[in-house]
Amino acid sequence: QVQLVESGGGLVQPGGSLRLSCVASGSIFRINSMGWYRQAPGNQRELVAGITGGGSTNYADSVKGRFTISRDNAKNTAYLQMNSLEPEDTAVYYCNARLKRIDSVYYSDYWGQGTQVTVSS
């Protein structure tokens, strides 16, 4: 079994900051990439930020310069530091990991349950 658990969401005023965390646990052999996605009501799920095992990152244009993704490989944990938050950032944020289980030869995608981020005054 593999689990991804997100934390750190909540209600914040425009211009504020939040830090999301995602911990992967279970029968993990190796994690390749990790990423953060978000889905607002009525919208499709979209990539916010991704990070490879080597630390290369990519961001959606809408969050560049405001959000920073990082990871701690020793802890199987990814972070998303979100600054200068805007009401348009309101969504459920999901963690994704492409990983190989101990009992598998293939990499597969796993998802967390999501954490709500609401930006409102």
Side-chain angles (χ1 to χ4, degrees):
Q1 286 285 61
V2 171
Q3 269 193 314
L4 271 63
V5 179
E6 303 105 332
S7 62
L11 173 64
V12 64
Q13 292 187 340
S17 298
L18 284 175
R19 188 191 195 210
L20 306 183
S21 299
C22 170
V23 180
S25 63
S27 305
I28 299 170
F29 177 74
R30 180 174 292 141
I31 299 177
N32 186 356
S33 60
M34 299 186 78
W36 289 95
Y37 290 71
R38 68 186 180 187
Q39 187 168 18
N43 290 355
Q44 290 187 332
R45 190 174 296 189
E46 62 175 359
L47 174 68
V48 176
I51 185 167
T52 67
S56 297
T57 59
N58 63 290
Y59 297 92
D61 287 343
S62 59
V63 307
K64 283 181 181 176
R66 300 187 298 123
F67 291 10
T68 302
I69 188 171
S70 60
R71 63 188 284 178
D72 184 332
N73 291 331
K75 297 181 178 179
N76 287 343
T77 300
Y79 306 96
L80 185 68
Q81 178 66 43
M82 304 186 294
N83 299 328
S84 302
L85 282 161
E86 304 168 352
E88 292 74 23
D89 296 316
T90 296
V92 178
Y93 284 70
Y94 297 90
C95 176
N96 167 270
R98 178 157 294 178
L99 59 86
K100 184 188 295 185
R101 290 173 43 155
I102 291 173
D103 59 351
S104 175
V105 297
Y106 302 108
Y107 282 91
S108 299
D109 283 319
Y110 289 83
W111 294 89
Q113 81 288 350
T115 185
Q116 177 70 46
V117 171
T118 302
V119 185
S120 175
S121 55

